[in-house]
Amino acid sequence: SQKIEQNSEALNIQEGKTATLTCNYTNYSPAYLQWYRQDPGRGPVFLLLIRENEKEKRKERLKVTFDTTLKQSLFHITASQPADSATYLCALDRNSGYSTLTFGKGTMLLVSP
Amino acid sequence: EPEVTQTPSHQVTQMGQEVILRCVPISNHLYFYWYRQILGQKVEFLVSFYNNEISEKSEIFDDQFSVERPDGSNFTLKIRSTKLEDSAMYFCAGTQGVGNSGANVLTFGAGSRLTVL
């Protein structure tokens, strides 16, 4: 079965710096890789997705890269703000259509003022 | 912006009792999901539902679980005889289906926290 690994330890950074979060998977390459944000006691909120044939996607201060050779995605938040503090989840979509998402455990990001 | 609404936000129950968790999906969503998240763990898929039928379910979704869309709007998850290990946050999610991106992007509710004593 697919295993997804995200940094288990919280990432602490200073406001204004770039946060980089890692998502590694072990088996099949997903058709899509999605990133969600989860605040304490809340449901995940979709942020960005990248297709298997894409190397990089950007949305405002967010950037996602996807390396199917390394089986890795990197999620970057530039000019980080304290409001970016949350847990960020990586989710794999096996194929296009209505397949279920497989989530990683997430990495907690703490941005200090 | 449309939201997925879940009730109750928190339910405490005794082991062996039946629990029904409710979800009001976004009106134009066609595919519905239940996920759960045990405290400190990852979000895990339970079941997907389309056209009034279960389309996929995980190993977690055993005979004690059931889903229904009784009135065409509300979507429920029933746990017949709760166990201590059912304590978790249960999330309802929905999607219109494959959008312009070609991917299955989910909109989640805020969750229902279930505590089994």
Side-chain angles (χ1 to χ4, degrees):
Chain A
S1 62
Q2 183 71 281
K3 289 187 180 178
I4 303 167
E5 295 175 355
Q6 295 187 252
N7 294 354
S8 57
E9 294 184 9
L11 178 64
N12 288 275
I13 63 168
Q14 286 288 318
E15 182 175 9
K17 301 293 186 184
T18 296
T20 298
L21 308 176
T22 305
C23 173
N24 295 296
Y25 57 93
T26 57
N27 289 340
Y28 60 83
S29 280
Y32 299 88
L33 193 146
Q34 303 184 24
W35 285 88
Y36 287 74
R37 168 182 173 143
Q38 187 175 27
D39 291 284
R42 308 290 295 178
V45 175
F46 171 74
L47 295 174
L48 205 55
L49 71 86
I50 188 165
R51 295 188 181 94
E52 62 179 335
N53 61 353
E54 295 176 324
K55 296 293 185 187
E56 181 179 299
K57 286 288 284 290
R58 290 175 184 263
K59 179 182 176 183
E60 298 172 350
R61 295 186 295 113
L62 309 180
K63 184 178 82 171
V64 174
T65 62
F66 195 7
D67 188 327
T68 54
T69 301
L70 293 178
K71 295 189 176 181
Q72 180 180 81
S73 174
L74 299 178
F75 178 79
H76 306 269
I77 305 175
T78 58
S80 60
Q81 304 165 1
D84 295 326
S85 297
T87 296
Y88 290 86
L89 312 179
C90 164
L92 273 57
D93 188 348
R94 183 183 305 202
N95 52 43
S96 61
Y98 313 115
S99 61
T100 59
L101 296 182
T102 302
F103 284 86
K105 196 173 176 181
T107 299
M108 183 183 293
L109 172 66
L110 299 171
V111 181
S112 304
Chain B
E1 189 169 331
E3 290 184 342
V4 176
T5 304
Q6 290 189 245
T7 55
S9 57
H10 188 193
Q11 180 155 357
V12 180
T13 189
Q14 294 290 324
M15 190 169 56
Q17 294 298 303
E18 176 181 283
V19 162
I20 297 177
L21 306 178
R22 292 183 169 80
C23 171
V24 179
I26 293 172
S27 59
N28 64 354
H29 280 182
L30 300 174
Y31 297 81
F32 310 104
Y33 304 80
W34 285 99
Y35 283 80
R36 81 171 184 189
Q37 187 175 31
I38 295 171
L39 187 63
Q41 301 300 313
K42 65 180 180 179
V43 175
E44 300 176 290
F45 168 73
L46 291 177
V47 65
S48 59
F49 194 81
Y50 169 70
N51 203 25
N52 292 321
E53 289 184 349
I54 291 174
S55 47
E56 189 177 351
K57 58 184 180 179
S58 72
E59 293 177 353
I60 303 169
F61 194 87
D62 61 21
D63 291 344
Q64 72 162 337
F65 290 92
S66 62
V67 290
E68 283 186 345
R69 200 168 185 213
D71 57 8
S73 58
N74 293 320
F75 180 45
T76 63
L77 174 70
K78 182 191 292 186
I79 309 174
R80 289 191 185 83
S81 179
T82 50
K83 305 171 189 170
L84 295 176
E85 54 264 37
D86 293 328
S87 295
M89 186 76 113
Y90 288 82
F91 294 109
C92 173
T95 179
Q96 287 179 289
V98 174
N100 291 335
S101 65
N104 192 23
V105 172
L106 300 185
T107 301
F108 284 82
S112 291
R113 180 172 299 285
L114 175 64
T115 302
V116 182
L117 302 177

